Amino acid sequence: MNQDIKIGISACLSGEKVRFDSGHKRSNFCMDELARHVQYVPFCPEVAIGLPIPRPTIRQVRKGDVITVCRPDGTGDVGDKLTEYGQRIGAKYGSELDGFIFCAKSPSCGMERIKVFNEEGTGNTAEGVGFFAAQIMAANPLLPCEENGRLNDMHLRENFVMRVYVYHSWRQLCREPLSVHRLTRFHGMHKYLLMSHNYQAYRDLGRLLGHHQGDNLDDIAEQYISGLMAALKKPASRKAHTNTLMHLQGYFKRHLSKGEKEELRAAIEDYRQGLVPLYVPLTLLKHQLNVHPNPYLAQQVYFNPHPNDLKLRYGI
């Protein structure tokens, strides 16, 4: 376990029996796989504000222009308590966390599309955000966040874990005084990872660091990490990965035999056509990097953005 990486998690996803029915929603991926590499900090906002186990169900209900959280019959309003608890946790733990995994569909912890019922309980719209989750995300807009259900999608799973590791690296960088050199080196290490998600963002962020002209370095750093995390939030497309792989292939053109060049070219083409997953051409590139060392490529996060044993690139 990497004790340095800390991820907030809805307590029910960790296996704690804190749900309204005394049950849990343990996530096998989170607790059996990702838990080998990170430390979790569990939160159950409903229990934290004093609700018992077991307890009556609660839902989001629109009362005029206001959305609150209460029992289906309209009693037991706990909206303000959930909001206050979220604000307190967001302020206290936000700077210590590298990510957060919320429980989907929960009126307190869901990230999006939460059912909001009318007062009569005869209809609902999927417009809500969990009251606790909303405060965590508002207080920490750069924090990688995801829901347990969405983590079943391999692209979203890989993307979330990658962002957790990038954000953790950034937080590590900021533990020491920043300098243009350190920021530029960080940017260089993430060049191909960023290119695989948003090539224009790579160029824009490079210009930001290259033309600071004595501007406040803290302001530059804030603009940089905001741009980086925004660019990485959308999973990389197959086309963008293919372009990135072709860029990397170019570093070896003077070193490879005709047969080796063809093997690598064919692997990249097979990936482009969806015949093999990303790890196939990447494995060939890593092999060539071992045979033909290149210090600049060796530091590229793109090759190893997260632990290999998670096998996150086997499905993309």
Side-chain angles (χ1 to χ4, degrees), residues 112-129:
E112 58 184 4
R113 300 189 299 276
I114 305 303
K115 290 183 178 180
V116 179
F117 291 81
N118 58 32
E119 287 191 73
E120 294 75 26
T122 57
N124 63 76
T125 57
E127 61 177 305
V129 178

Side-chain angles (χ1 to χ4, degrees), residues 183 208-209 212 215-225:
L183 286 173
L208 173 68
L209 298 181
H212 60 91
D215 295 333
N216 185 292
L217 196 57
D218 288 338
D219 291 341
I220 295 296
E222 184 176 349
Q223 292 178 53
Y224 177 82
I225 189 58

Side-chain angles (χ1 to χ4, degrees), residues 5-9 40-41 94 96-102 136 142-146 160 163-164 167-168 171:
I5 295 182
K6 293 184 179 181
I7 297 180
I9 189 170
Y40 288 117
V41 185
E96 300 176 9
L97 298 177
D98 299 300
F100 211 113
I101 302 173
F102 294 104
I136 299 297
L142 300 181
L143 187 69
C145 296
E146 196 50 273
F160 170 70
R163 287 186 290 129
V164 165
Y167 192 54
H168 174 73
R171 291 180 60 243

Side-chain angles (χ1 to χ4, degrees), residues 39 50 56 59 80 99 102 122 152 173 197 209 218 258 269 276:
Q39 178 183 355
R59 58 170 56 168
D80 289 344
F102 294 104
T122 57
N152 292 324
L173 181 76
H197 286 262
L209 298 181
D218 288 338
K258 182 178 180 180
E269 178 61 17
V276 298

Side-chain angles (χ1 to χ4, degrees), residues 16-298:
E16 293 187 27
K17 296 180 179 180
V18 293
R19 285 176 56 78
F20 71 96
D21 58 359
S22 302
H24 61 79
K25 295 193 70 175
R26 187 180 187 276
S27 166
N28 292 336
F29 168 71
C30 292
M31 304 314 298
D32 296 337
E33 300 180 51
L34 188 56
R36 297 196 301 265
H37 302 282
V38 306
Q39 178 183 355
Y40 288 117
V41 185
F43 300 94
C44 179
E46 295 172 18
V47 172
I49 65 171
L51 296 182
I53 307 171
R55 56 184 175 273
T57 59
I58 56 175
R59 58 170 56 168
Q60 292 194 12
V61 177
R62 179 178 292 281
K63 299 180 178 180
D65 295 330
V66 178
I67 297 176
T68 187
V69 180
C70 59
R71 297 173 184 172
D73 63 5
T75 64
D77 185 346
V78 292
D80 289 344
K81 289 183 178 180
L82 289 172
T83 296
E84 291 168 3
Y85 178 69
Q87 291 172 342
R88 187 164 70 252
I89 295 302
K92 181 178 180 180
Y93 289 94
S95 61
E96 300 176 9
L97 298 177
D98 299 300
F100 211 113
I101 302 173
F102 294 104
C103 181
K105 302 181 181 180
S106 164
S108 57
C109 288
M111 284 178 59
E112 58 184 4
R113 300 189 299 276
I114 305 303
K115 290 183 178 180
V116 179
F117 291 81
N118 58 32
E119 287 191 73
E120 294 75 26
T122 57
N124 63 76
T125 57
E127 61 177 305
V129 178
F131 275 39
F132 172 74
Q135 298 306 318
I136 299 297
M137 294 187 292
N140 307 278
L142 300 181
L143 187 69
C145 296
E146 196 50 273
E147 292 183 330
N148 60 311
R150 284 166 51 91
L151 289 177
N152 292 324
D153 181 299
M154 287 298 298
H155 291 82
L156 298 178
R157 177 185 295 189
E158 192 277 338
N159 181 265
F160 170 70
V161 177
M162 174 273 294
R163 287 186 290 129
V164 165
Y165 273 82
V166 171
Y167 192 54
H168 174 73
S169 296
W170 175 259
R171 291 180 60 243
Q172 293 288 100
L173 181 76
C174 294
R175 288 184 176 181
E176 298 179 9
L178 292 175
S179 66
V180 174
H181 172 72
R182 295 181 70 232
L183 286 173
T184 302
R185 184 173 182 275
F186 182 89
H187 181 62
M189 292 170 59
H190 292 81
K191 172 181 178 177
Y192 287 105
L193 182 66
L194 184 51
M195 281 178 59
S196 70
H197 286 262
N198 190 319
Y199 185 79
Q200 187 59 48
Y202 164 71
R203 293 174 58 88
D204 292 344
L205 292 174
R207 283 196 291 267
L208 173 68
L209 298 181
H211 299 86
H212 60 91
Q213 298 180 339
D215 295 333
N216 185 292
L217 196 57
D218 288 338
D219 291 341
I220 295 296
E222 184 176 349
Q223 292 178 53
Y224 177 82
I225 189 58
S226 295
L228 177 64
M229 298 309 295
L232 296 179
K233 191 170 184 178
K234 182 180 179 180
S237 67
R238 186 177 298 274
K239 179 180 178 181
H241 272 307
T242 299
N243 289 337
T244 301
L245 293 168
M246 293 176 66
H247 272 282
L248 293 169
Q249 179 187 28
Y251 281 91
F252 301 104
K253 61 183 179 181
R254 296 182 180 179
H255 304 288
L256 305 185
S257 67
K258 182 178 180 180
E260 289 172 326
K261 290 179 182 177
E262 176 57 27
E263 179 185 35
L264 185 53
R265 185 207 66 77
I268 295 174
E269 178 61 17
D270 284 348
Y271 169 73
R272 186 188 70 81
Q273 294 186 25
L275 302 178
V276 298
L278 180 61
Y279 83 90
V280 172
L282 273 177
T283 298
L284 288 177
L285 284 168
K286 289 180 183 180
H287 169 71
Q288 295 301 340
L289 183 57
N290 287 331
V291 176
H292 308 287
N294 181 307
Y296 180 69
L297 288 189

